[in-house]
């Protein structure tokens, strides 16, 4: 049984109006709408290239050195040791400290 309009929430009314608008579209309009969604998704994927392994490791090490709200952080000496190991193992090219 259909829910009466007076008992619908504002969200339900908005969803219903959007669904009715979609059902009234022609096949061509639906295809055009779906194509535009796919195109936006492709653009979003190509706009942001994936970060390199080196960038990820450097960002992680920089994050470790930041004091958390609980007051905990990893000491600078430990960060330098971890960076040295990362350089030796080939995760990052050099032990340059990035500004962050």
């Amino acid at each position: 049984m259909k829910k009466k309009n007076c008992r619908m929430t504002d969200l339900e009314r908005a969803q219903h109006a959007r669904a009715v608008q979609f059902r009234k579209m022609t096949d061509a309009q639906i295809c055009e709408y779906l194509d535009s969604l796919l195109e936006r998704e492709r653009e979003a994927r190509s706009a942001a290239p994936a970060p390199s392994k080196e960038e990820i490791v450097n960002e992680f090490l920089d994050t470790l050195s930041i004091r958390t709200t609980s007051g905990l952080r990893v000491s600078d000496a430990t960060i330098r040791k971890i960076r040295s190991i990362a350089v030796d193992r080939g995760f990052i090219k050099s032990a340059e400290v990035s500004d962050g």
Side-chain angles (χ1 to χ4, degrees):
M1 190 167 156
K2 182 181 172 189
K3 191 173 189 179
K4 292 188 176 190
N5 191 30
C6 64
R7 303 209 188 273
M8 287 185 178
T9 65
D10 290 337
L11 176 62
E12 289 173 329
R13 280 191 199 101
Q15 288 174 336
H16 177 72
R18 191 169 177 205
V20 168
Q21 180 184 10
F22 193 75
R23 284 194 299 264
K24 289 182 177 182
M25 286 183 177
T26 65
D27 290 347
Q29 289 172 323
I30 292 172
C31 289
E32 183 179 326
Y33 176 74
L34 292 175
D35 289 342
S36 69
L37 288 179
L38 290 173
E39 184 61 32
R40 273 192 242 144
E41 184 178 331
R42 280 189 214 113
E43 288 174 1
R45 285 184 185 166
S46 65
S52 69
K53 180 172 59 173
E54 185 173 353
E55 291 171 338
I56 293 170
V57 171
N58 276 323
E59 183 178 342
F60 174 70
L61 292 174
D62 292 341
T63 303
L64 285 178
S65 65
I66 298 172
R67 188 176 304 274
T68 62
T69 56
S70 63
L72 300 175
R73 76 177 188 100
V74 178
S75 71
D76 293 336
T78 305
I79 298 286
R80 283 194 299 272
K81 291 175 189 175
I82 294 172
R83 279 191 196 277
S84 174
I85 292 169
V87 169
D88 291 344
R89 300 268 171 103
F91 291 109
I92 55 179
K93 294 179 184 173
S94 65
E96 295 175 2
V97 177
S98 64
D99 295 332

